[in-house]
Amino acid sequence: MPSVLPRVAIALVAILMLAWSVVLWRDQVIGGAAEDRIFGNPRLTDADWQRTLDDFKSAELLDPGTEWAVTRAGALILKGDRAESAAITEDVLEDEPDNLQAWVVLRKATEGRDRERFAEAEAQIRRLNPPTSAP
């Protein structure tokens, strides 16, 4: 009679993977709805802004990616909080120095505020997305 232990282990791994997939799906639903709200109507009330920013933060639950952190940073630029946007983006870039989207957001967050960091963002954007030469 074969051992039941390997089957139980495989079943547990499958259940954990399914649970994680459900959490990531939930993150996409919450983040997508928040994105639609904020970019569809940037003139939200302060309470709606805060709820939307909280939703972006909530969408990061167990998500190994940085999509929602960068999206939240971009939304903060729309709200006028470029310092917080830059701080969030700097955290992302610490872990992912080749994240083009984060560099683009950081460039906007530092424009007119921090010349050195703005120039660094510009250089990194050119490095990660070099211009193509004309034929």
Side-chain angles (χ1 to χ4, degrees):
M1 180 167 162
S3 175
V4 176
L5 191 57
R7 291 180 184 169
V8 170
I10 290 172
L12 285 174
V13 168
I15 290 169
L16 288 173
M17 290 179 66
L18 178 62
W20 190 26
S21 295
V22 169
V23 169
L24 292 177
W25 171 79
R26 168 215 169 264
D27 292 349
Q28 286 295 319
V29 169
I30 290 172
E35 198 171 42
D36 290 345
R37 269 195 320 272
I38 210 161
F39 294 114
N41 182 15
R43 298 180 206 269
L44 299 173
T45 66
D46 286 344
D48 286 337
W49 267 104
Q50 191 56 52
R51 184 173 62 95
T52 302
L53 292 172
D54 290 345
D55 283 350
F56 283 133
K57 185 77 173 160
S58 178
E60 295 174 39
L61 178 68
L62 297 177
D63 190 338
T66 56
E67 171 190 2
W68 297 119
V70 174
T71 302
R72 183 166 44 105
L76 284 164
I77 290 172
L78 288 177
K79 188 169 180 353
D81 192 350
R82 292 170 20 150
E84 180 66 17
S85 174
I88 291 167
T89 309
E90 292 285 5
D91 286 344
V92 168
L93 290 169
E94 223 174 84
D95 295 331
E96 296 181 8
D98 291 339
N99 187 322
L100 177 60
Q101 184 181 8
W103 283 112
V104 169
V105 172
L106 183 64
R107 178 181 61 185
K108 186 64 178 171
T110 58
E111 187 176 19
R113 296 182 58 245
D114 182 343
R115 281 188 183 164
E116 188 175 308
R117 202 60 179 137
F118 177 81
E120 172 67 13
E122 291 254 301
Q124 292 297 330
I125 291 167
R126 279 192 305 277
R127 177 182 69 84
L128 295 167
N129 188 27
T132 57
S133 58

